[in-house]
Amino acid sequence: MNGVNENKEPVVSDAALLEAFEQRERSTKDFYLNVGPADIGGEPAPGDSAVFAEQLRRDVEAALCLTFALIPGAANPTGGYTYWYESGERSVHLQVNDPEEGDLFPFGKVPALLIIRSRSEEVATWELAAGLHRDLCSLGTYLLLAETKNGDLVTANFNVGDDW
């Protein structure tokens, strides 16, 4: 069932989530998952990007049953972290940045960018992206905003406003 939870955050059923990604697959082959730490129990989201990057890396590795490589020297000037995974079946790229002062809403809340691509003929990229979005949402510790390569909103587990 679609609706909102007790914190007034959007809740999307698995079927609706899969449909949202599958419908966008016709216009784009790439999906971007923007991820940030969720406010938990009314407390502000943690501000330590190193801790956030490490936790997100571990959770993505567990969800996808893979081990990222940290790209040496790939830390960006804002102190971000870049992780990469490549196989014959998929590629996964994770870039965690420090939120910058003045970042526009909602992107200031989701400073990490996660891109997953299928290289398999059996599993489409939209299926991988939808599954990863669902798995990370189920942890309850992340804000997620999924968009197409063209900047079209697919879904979000927090209110991103009406001006998308």
Side-chain angles (χ1 to χ4, degrees):
M1 167 180 235
N2 295 337
V4 294
N5 65 15
E6 62 277 358
N7 297 322
K8 307 284 190 231
E9 297 163 336
V11 176
V12 179
S13 70
D14 279 350
L17 179 69
L18 291 172
E19 184 178 332
F21 277 90
E22 185 178 21
Q23 286 179 348
R24 303 307 188 299
E25 189 264 343
R26 293 178 191 98
S27 64
T28 186
K29 296 296 179 194
D30 290 330
F31 295 92
Y32 299 155
L33 301 181
N34 300 278
V35 187
D39 300 339
I40 300 174
E43 296 296 315
D48 187 336
S49 65
V51 172
F52 170 64
E54 181 63 19
Q55 184 61 50
L56 179 57
R57 180 195 59 80
R58 284 193 311 242
D59 288 341
V60 171
E61 286 178 338
L64 297 175
C65 299
L66 58 82
T67 301
F68 276 119
L70 174 63
I71 300 174
N76 67 29
T78 65
Y81 302 88
T82 300
Y83 305 95
W84 194 268
Y85 173 84
E86 292 284 336
S87 75
E89 297 294 312
R90 60 192 168 180
S91 72
V92 185
H93 177 236
L94 173 60
Q95 177 70 48
V96 181
N97 297 312
D98 286 330
E100 294 186 26
E101 198 66 34
D103 274 348
L104 295 177
F105 180 81
F107 293 102
K109 293 182 79 71
V110 286
L113 178 63
L114 183 55
I115 303 170
I116 184 169
R117 291 184 183 109
S118 176
R119 294 184 173 154
S120 165
E121 293 186 21
E122 289 83 36
V123 179
T125 294
W126 70 264
E127 292 174 288
L128 290 176
L132 183 55
H133 186 279
R134 180 199 59 230
D135 292 348
L136 291 176
C137 280
S138 72
L139 297 174
T141 57
Y142 297 109
L143 297 177
L144 284 111
L145 182 154
E147 62 178 320
T148 67
K149 181 179 181 178
N150 303 322
D152 298 323
L153 179 67
V154 177
T155 188
N157 69 346
F158 66 103
N159 187 350
V160 296
D162 297 331
D163 295 333
W164 189 266

